[in-house]
């Protein structure tokens, strides 16, 4: 039971073991006395380049006996006829074996490290016996589908005689073609007999589109009977030896196909062997295997029938045997020239695994990371769009030294990041027409070509980054600011503005990195990143991008076009999207209006109760002049600093409020004083006694001598001052000289008393005041 479990475990682990990265030809065939060269491939690593390489032969017991190694070992049976050469720059080593014998037929391994333990690949070698041919036989060896031209010499006396070529079958020789234009049905359209120039000693037979059935022994003949000239020809038609291709997973491979001038005008194809058939994966007639959609191109090289097929984004299932050919149908046909390859895909790839599909939404953006060989940081980078129509092509859209195509203006840029083996391509303002396949290319290592499929869906929500509207206008010489809104999820990421051009998108510096340059500031609390152009120049016109990134990884972006116009008189251009600018303009208008009102209030004094009409007219004229000067100075007010404008707009309304309050208090006090005067006089009249009359002279009657009952007292409050004005009416001479009676003196005393009492009452009510 334990033995059974152990055997089962060994079987399971053998089945899941990792495929060896060593690769070579599976089958090699030759003939005795000939030589072979066997090439083995290994992964591109420093260890592999310097480790031991070997060639060993497997025995019946399963052991592999080393015959030759890179350490200098050479077995006796290979002495003097074999060598092993390492080519570290190509990651290959070659075993050359000469003077082959049938004893060399067997199973071998080429590998790295220690025999029976290291990495290896199985190779089958078959050495055939040389066929027995007549001594004068000329051998022609051609690949299937190719052409052969057989030379047939003859003597001059047989020049007028019939010439022919026949193929030996058993004991007879079947006619292929002769000079009387007889042609075997199997060779119609393929065989041709001709002579070159004026030569009378040679004729030629050309056979096109060779097949396996064409292989055999042929006889050339000129003349009849015993004097006829004959020559034996052995034609060998072989399958083309496949070329070895060793590629890494996710890399690219190019099949270079050279079929000859004779098929230059025929349709070309590439197919992959599938048991007994060869399935076409692409041809020049538009046929394409869906498994290779977006990652394969077929390109004619010249007019000699040469073309190439490029496949990017290699997958492990792409490994296998491939064959290129040419035929009017675009499909494999027997007898037509072919070329074959054996492709091995190394799963231990040095090319990083990246997304092969990128998704975006209409109006949004995508950032595509393209890998390249880190050892070739100075190589030129490109980005092209794969076109599936016709033969397929990939026009370059942007490159490190290539301008952006016109239809992608303001939408496409390439960011090179030397040193990290990656460059980034950003495409924004996406539309559904942008969906498709794109290729990342360099002019360096051709293996580093990758394919990206871009899928674009209709947007179902607002974009994460927003700058509206898409078009904005800045005024030459002024300051222009535009803000970019971003959501909270981008708070920790780096935000930036850049100016787009055909050569990329130049990141704008921060405020402390340039005085005159365009600058960027970020208000984290309001989730805005603003771009300021100060002052605006004509060179500032163009596309600007607002985006986010994390280190060297670029994220979403949005774009805005800024137009630059010259300032016109009587008009001001304000970005309709800039709320701060609109508020600033409104504040300037308010300050200017307040300033004008303040000047008018200062220029028109209160005319007072004694102002005459001329004074009022003069004041009005002065007010009109001040108003006119205020209008003329409004333009200057717009250029004042924002701090002075705010101060004026604050003090002027406050002064107006205080003035209105003071007037209201004055009116109230005057009305209140009149009421107090009336109350005081009534009270005194009620409480007067006769003793008061007797002492009227002592209480101030003399001080008021000459005063009239028409005396008026005017009290004006201003700065706590009380101003008293008195008007006196002139009396006639006769009244001054008249002698007064006692009754008149009493009346005058009583009047003086009342006036004095009124004055005392007013002082008691208002309190002491300074004159």
């Amino acid at each position: 039971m334990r033995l059974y479990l152990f055997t089962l475990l060994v079987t399971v682990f053998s089945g899941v073991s990792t495929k060896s990265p060593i690769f070579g030809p599976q089958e090699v065939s030759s003939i005795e006395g000939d030589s072979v060269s066997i090439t083995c491939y290994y992964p591109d690593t420093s260890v592999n380049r310097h480790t031991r390489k070997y060639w060993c032969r497997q025995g019946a017991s399963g052991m592999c006996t080393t015959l030759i190694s890179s350490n200098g070992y050479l077995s006796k049976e290979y002495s003097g006829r074999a060598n092993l050469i390492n080519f570290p720059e190509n990651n290959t080593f070659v075993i050359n074996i000469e003077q082959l014998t049938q004893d060399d037929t067997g199973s071998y391994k080429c590998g790295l490290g220690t025999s029976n333990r290291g990495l290896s690949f199985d190779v089958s070698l078959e050495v055939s016996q040389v066929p027995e041919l007549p001594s004068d036989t000329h051998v022609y060896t051609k690949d299937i589908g190719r052409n052969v031209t057989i030379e047939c010499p003859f003597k001059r006396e047989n020049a007028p005689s019939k010439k022919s070529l026949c193929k030996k079958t058993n004991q007879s020789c079947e006619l292929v073609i002769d000079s009387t234009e007889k042609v075997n049905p199997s060779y119609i359209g393929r065989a041709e007999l001709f002579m070159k120039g004026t030569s009378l000693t040679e004729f030629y037979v050309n056979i096109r589109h060779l097949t396996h059935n064409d292989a055999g022994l042929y006889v050339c003949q000129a003349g009849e009977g015993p004097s006829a000239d004959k020559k034996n020809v052995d034609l060998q038609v072989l399958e083309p030896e496949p070329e070895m291709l060793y590629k890494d997973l996710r890399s690219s491979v190019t099949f270079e196909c050279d079929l000859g001038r004779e098929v230059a005008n025929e349709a070309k194809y590439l197919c992959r062997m599938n048991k007994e058939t060869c399935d076409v994966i692409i041809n020049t007639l538009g046929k394409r295997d869906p498994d290779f959609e977006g990652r394969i191109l077929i390109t004619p090289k010249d007019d000699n029938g040469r073309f190439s097929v490029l496949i990017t984004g290699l997958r492990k299932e792409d490994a296998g045997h491939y064959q290129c050919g040419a035929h009017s149908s675009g499909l494999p046909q027997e007898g037509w020239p072919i070329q074959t390859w054996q492709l091995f895909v190394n799963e231990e790839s040095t090319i990083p695994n990246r997304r092969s599909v990128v998704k975006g939404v209409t109006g949004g953006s995508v950032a595509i990371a393209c890998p390249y060989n880190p050892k070739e940081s100075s190589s030129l980078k490109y980005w092209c769009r794969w076109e599936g129509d016709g033969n397929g092509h990939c026009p370059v859209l942007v490159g490190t030294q290539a301008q952006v195509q016109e239809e992608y203006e303001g939408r496409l840029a390439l960011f090179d990041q030397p040193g990290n083996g990656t460059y980034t391509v950003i495409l924004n303002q996406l539309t559904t027409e942008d969906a498709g396949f794109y290729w990342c290319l360099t002019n360096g290592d051709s293996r580093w070509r990758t394919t990206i499929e871009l899928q674009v869906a209709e947007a179902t929500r607002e974009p994460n980054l927003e700058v509206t509207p898409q078009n904005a206008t800045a005024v030459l010489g002024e300051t222009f600011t535009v803000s970019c809104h971003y959501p909270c999820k981008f708070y920790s990421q780096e935000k930036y503005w850049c100016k787009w051009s055909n050569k990329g998108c130049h990141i704008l510096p921060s405020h402390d990195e340039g005085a005159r340059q365009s600058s960027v500031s970020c208000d984290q609390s309001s989730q805005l990143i603003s771009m300021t152009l100060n002052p605006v120049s004509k060179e500032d016109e163009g596309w600007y991008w607002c985006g986010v990134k994390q280190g060297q990884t670029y994220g979403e972006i949005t774009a805005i076009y800024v137009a630059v116009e010259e300032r016109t008189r009587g008009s001001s251009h304000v970005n309709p999207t800039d709320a701060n600018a609109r508020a600033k303009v409104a504040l300037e208008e308010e300050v200017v209006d307040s300033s004008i009102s303040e000047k008018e209030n200062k220029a028109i004094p209160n005319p007072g109760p004694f102002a005459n009409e001329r004074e009022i007219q003069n004041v009005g004229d002065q007010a009109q002049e001040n108003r006119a000067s205020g209008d003329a100075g409004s333009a200057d007010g717009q250029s004042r600093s924002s701090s002075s404008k705010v101060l004026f707009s604050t003090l002027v309304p406050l002064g107006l409020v205080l003035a209105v309050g003071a007037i209201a208090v004055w009116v109230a006090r005057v009305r209140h004083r009149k009421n107090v005067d009336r109350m005081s006089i009534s009270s005194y009249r009620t409480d007067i006694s006769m003793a008061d009359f007797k002492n009227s002279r002592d209480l101030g009657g003399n001080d008021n001598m000459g005063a009239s009952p028409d005396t008026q007292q005017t009290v004006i409050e201003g700065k706590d001052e009380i101003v008293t004005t008195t008007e006196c009416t002139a009396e006639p001479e006769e009244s001054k000289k008249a002698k007064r009676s006692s009754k008149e003196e009493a009346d005058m005393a009583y009047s003086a008393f009342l006036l004095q009492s009124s004055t005392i009452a007013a002082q008691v009510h208002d309190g002491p005041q300074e004159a």
Side-chain angles (χ1 to χ4, degrees):
M1 183 67 177
R2 292 180 179 177
L3 180 60
Y4 172 77
L5 290 176
F6 175 77
T7 305
L8 180 61
L9 288 175
V10 171
T11 303
V12 171
F13 281 107
S14 299
V16 298
S17 61
T18 304
K19 185 179 180 180
S20 172
I22 307 302
F23 173 65
Q26 292 178 328
E27 297 180 356
V28 178
S29 61
S30 187
I31 58 175
E32 285 183 312
D34 209 341
S35 63
V36 293
S37 293
I38 301 168
T39 303
C40 292
Y41 300 78
Y42 56 84
D44 182 14
T45 65
S46 176
V47 174
N48 291 339
R49 285 192 293 269
H50 296 89
T51 194
R52 173 180 178 265
K53 283 82 178 174
Y54 65 87
W55 173 259
C56 67
R57 183 168 184 171
Q58 297 187 78
S61 61
M63 295 296 292
C64 199
T65 303
T66 301
L67 300 177
I68 188 173
S69 72
S70 59
N71 291 344
Y73 175 77
L74 183 65
S75 66
K76 291 183 180 180
E77 57 184 294
Y78 271 19
S79 178
R81 68 186 187 99
N83 60 34
L84 187 152
I85 305 175
N86 182 32
F87 297 95
E89 66 278 7
N90 298 328
N91 303 308
T92 63
F93 63 96
V94 179
I95 303 98
N96 297 309
I97 308 172
E98 298 176 348
Q99 304 173 14
L100 291 171
T101 67
Q102 286 187 299
D103 293 338
D104 291 326
T105 299
S107 297
Y108 296 82
K109 285 185 178 182
C110 63
L112 274 64
T114 305
S115 304
N116 301 307
R117 292 184 181 180
L119 305 175
S120 64
F121 185 82
D122 294 337
V123 180
S124 176
L125 174 60
E126 182 180 357
V127 180
S128 303
Q129 185 179 3
V130 178
E132 295 182 3
L133 299 172
S135 60
D136 62 343
T137 301
H138 186 85
V139 178
Y140 290 90
T141 302
K142 295 294 181 179
D143 288 339
I144 191 171
R146 300 291 181 168
N147 303 340
V148 62
T149 300
I150 300 173
E151 297 180 5
C152 300
F154 59 88
K155 296 177 182 178
R156 185 178 294 270
E157 55 266 24
N158 288 326
S161 303
K162 183 176 68 173
K163 289 86 175 171
S164 64
L165 177 71
C166 63
K167 181 181 181 183
K168 285 188 175 182
T169 58
N170 297 327
Q171 300 300 320
S172 63
C173 192
E174 185 177 350
L175 179 67
V176 174
I177 190 172
D178 65 17
S179 57
T180 62
E181 298 184 357
K182 288 184 180 180
V183 182
N184 187 298
S186 300
Y187 292 88
I188 294 178
R190 300 196 300 128
E192 179 186 9
L193 190 150
F194 61 95
M195 297 181 68
K196 294 183 179 179
T198 59
S199 174
L200 300 176
T201 59
E202 234 174 13
F203 71 92
Y204 304 88
V205 176
N206 183 39
I207 303 175
R208 299 187 297 272
H209 307 308
L210 294 174
T211 67
H212 289 294
N213 295 330
D214 294 330
L217 188 62
Y218 291 81
V219 177
C220 293
Q221 183 174 332
E224 299 289 342
S227 63
D229 294 317
K230 295 183 180 180
K231 179 183 179 181
N232 294 319
V233 175
D234 182 47
L235 176 59
Q236 298 178 3
V237 181
L238 307 176
E239 290 285 346
E241 183 178 350
E243 179 184 350
M244 300 293 106
L245 294 175
Y246 186 90
K247 300 298 178 180
D248 289 339
L249 190 69
R250 295 181 293 275
S251 69
S252 65
V253 61
T254 301
F255 301 94
E256 297 287 352
C257 195
D258 186 3
L259 301 177
R261 183 185 296 271
E262 58 271 15
V263 294
N265 298 324
E266 304 292 343
K268 315 299 189 302
Y269 66 86
L270 180 73
C271 63
R272 182 170 59 179
M273 296 300 297
N274 183 15
K275 295 181 180 179
E276 300 299 328
T277 63
C278 193
D279 301 330
V280 173
I281 60 176
I282 192 171
N283 64 22
T284 55
L285 299 180
K287 180 178 177 59
R288 189 168 48 250
D289 190 328
D291 291 339
F292 293 86
E293 185 74 14
R295 60 189 188 99
I296 189 171
L297 287 178
I298 182 169
T299 307
K301 290 289 186 180
D302 52 34
D303 296 334
N304 295 324
R306 296 177 63 248
F307 67 97
S308 66
V309 177
L310 172 63
I311 301 177
T312 66
L314 286 176
R315 307 166 184 171
K316 60 181 180 180
E317 57 267 25
D318 293 334
H321 287 80
Y322 289 81
Q323 174 180 302
C324 77
H327 190 265
S328 58
S329 65
L331 302 174
Q333 297 291 331
E334 186 180 9
W336 287 78
I338 60 173
Q339 190 173 337
T340 62
W341 296 268
Q342 184 178 350
L343 173 63
F344 180 84
V345 178
N346 176 29
E347 298 182 23
E348 298 179 5
S349 178
T350 58
I351 298 178
N353 186 13
R354 298 187 181 273
R355 293 185 301 169
S356 60
V357 178
V358 176
K359 298 182 179 181
V361 297
T362 54
S365 66
V366 290
I368 298 174
C370 294
Y372 66 89
N373 193 337
K375 300 177 182 178
E376 301 176 342
S377 59
S378 60
S379 63
L380 300 180
K381 288 82 176 177
Y382 304 97
W383 202 61
C384 68
R385 179 168 185 172
W386 180 86
E387 301 290 349
D389 55 333
N391 298 338
H393 60 286
C394 198
V396 173
L397 303 182
V398 64
T400 49
Q401 292 185 0
Q403 291 189 348
V404 178
Q405 295 296 320
E406 184 178 355
E407 61 267 28
Y408 289 91
E409 180 180 353
R411 302 179 54 211
L412 183 63
L414 187 150
F415 294 87
D416 192 3
Q417 295 133 3
N420 67 350
T422 302
Y423 65 93
T424 302
V425 176
I426 296 181
L427 178 63
N428 67 72
Q429 305 172 54
L430 292 174
T431 66
T432 54
E433 295 180 355
D434 293 323
F437 294 91
Y438 297 83
W439 284 16
C440 301
L441 309 172
T442 69
N443 68 338
D445 193 344
S446 61
R447 297 176 304 166
W448 294 73
R449 295 175 178 174
T450 56
T451 301
I452 298 294
E453 181 183 3
L454 174 59
Q455 299 177 355
V456 181
E458 292 291 341
T460 58
R461 58 177 178 82
E462 293 295 327
N464 289 320
L465 300 176
E466 185 176 5
V467 178
T468 54
Q470 285 297 304
N471 297 322
T473 302
V475 179
L476 195 66
E478 295 189 357
T479 299
F480 177 79
T481 301
V482 62
S483 298
C484 178
H485 302 255
Y486 62 89
C488 294
K489 65 179 181 180
F490 292 153
Y491 179 79
S492 62
Q493 298 187 22
E494 178 184 354
K495 274 72 68 176
Y496 67 92
W497 277 93
C498 67
K499 189 177 190 303
W500 182 91
S501 69
N502 273 327
K503 298 181 180 180
C505 199
H506 175 65
I507 303 295
L508 300 181
S510 58
H511 279 300
D512 57 355
E513 293 178 350
R516 158 59 192 89
Q517 303 179 19
S518 305
S519 59
V520 173
S521 62
C522 184
D523 185 356
Q524 295 180 347
S525 62
S526 61
Q527 299 173 8
L528 294 175
I529 177 171
S530 300
M531 177 191 68
T532 300
L533 306 176
N534 183 25
V536 174
S537 65
K538 194 63 180 177
E539 291 74 17
D540 292 329
E541 186 171 63
W543 285 96
Y544 290 83
W545 289 8
C546 168
V548 297
K549 65 177 182 175
Q550 192 80 37
Q552 295 293 331
T553 303
Y554 287 83
E556 296 185 39
I557 68 104
T558 187
I560 181 175
Y561 186 84
V562 176
V564 175
E565 296 182 356
E566 294 185 359
R567 178 169 48 190
T568 58
R569 294 184 177 181
S571 64
S572 60
H573 296 271
V574 179
N575 181 11
T577 63
D578 193 348
N580 295 331
R582 293 199 304 270
K584 181 177 180 181
V585 171
L587 180 59
E588 291 178 354
E589 293 177 353
E590 180 181 353
V591 170
V592 170
D593 293 341
S594 300
S595 176
I596 295 174
S597 299
E598 180 183 1
K599 290 182 178 181
E600 292 179 354
N601 292 334
K602 290 181 178 180
I604 306 176
N606 186 1
F610 306 111
N612 57 29
E613 293 181 359
R614 184 174 184 82
E615 290 173 344
I616 294 175
Q617 181 65 35
N618 292 337
V619 170
D621 295 339
Q622 183 179 1
Q624 290 179 358
E625 294 176 359
N626 291 337
R627 187 176 294 105
S629 62
D631 292 338
S634 60
D636 297 334
Q638 292 181 355
S639 62
R640 294 178 182 175
S641 63
S642 58
S643 59
S644 299
K645 295 173 182 178
V646 172
L647 182 61
F648 274 109
S649 63
T650 303
L651 295 179
V652 170
L654 181 61
L656 293 176
V657 171
L658 293 176
V660 172
I663 294 173
V665 172
W666 177 77
V667 172
R669 291 172 67 98
V670 168
R671 293 179 178 177
H672 182 69
R673 181 175 301 153
K674 291 180 178 179
N675 293 334
V676 171
D677 291 343
R678 295 189 185 100
M679 292 173 61
S680 299
I681 293 173
S682 301
S683 174
Y684 275 95
R685 284 179 177 175
T686 305
D687 295 334
I688 292 176
S689 62
M690 291 304 295
D692 295 329
F693 285 106
K694 292 180 180 180
N695 300 323
S696 61
R697 294 181 182 271
D698 298 333
L699 290 177
N702 293 332
D703 296 331
N704 291 286
M705 188 66 66
S708 166
D710 298 330
T711 299
Q712 296 181 358
Q713 185 180 38
T714 304
V715 180
I716 302 176
E717 273 192 79
K719 295 185 180 181
D720 297 332
E721 292 182 356
I722 301 176
V723 179
T724 302
T725 59
T726 305
E727 291 184 1
C728 299
T729 55
E731 295 181 353
E733 293 285 338
E734 295 83 9
S735 61
K736 290 182 179 180
K737 296 180 181 180
K739 186 178 181 178
R740 294 171 178 160
S741 62
S742 299
K743 183 178 181 179
E744 291 176 347
E745 290 178 356
D747 292 339
M748 291 176 62
Y750 178 75
S751 298
F753 172 77
L754 293 178
L755 181 60
Q756 186 68 22
S757 298
S758 176
T759 302
I760 295 173
Q763 291 179 352
V764 172
H765 177 73
D766 294 337
Q769 294 180 349
E770 295 180 0

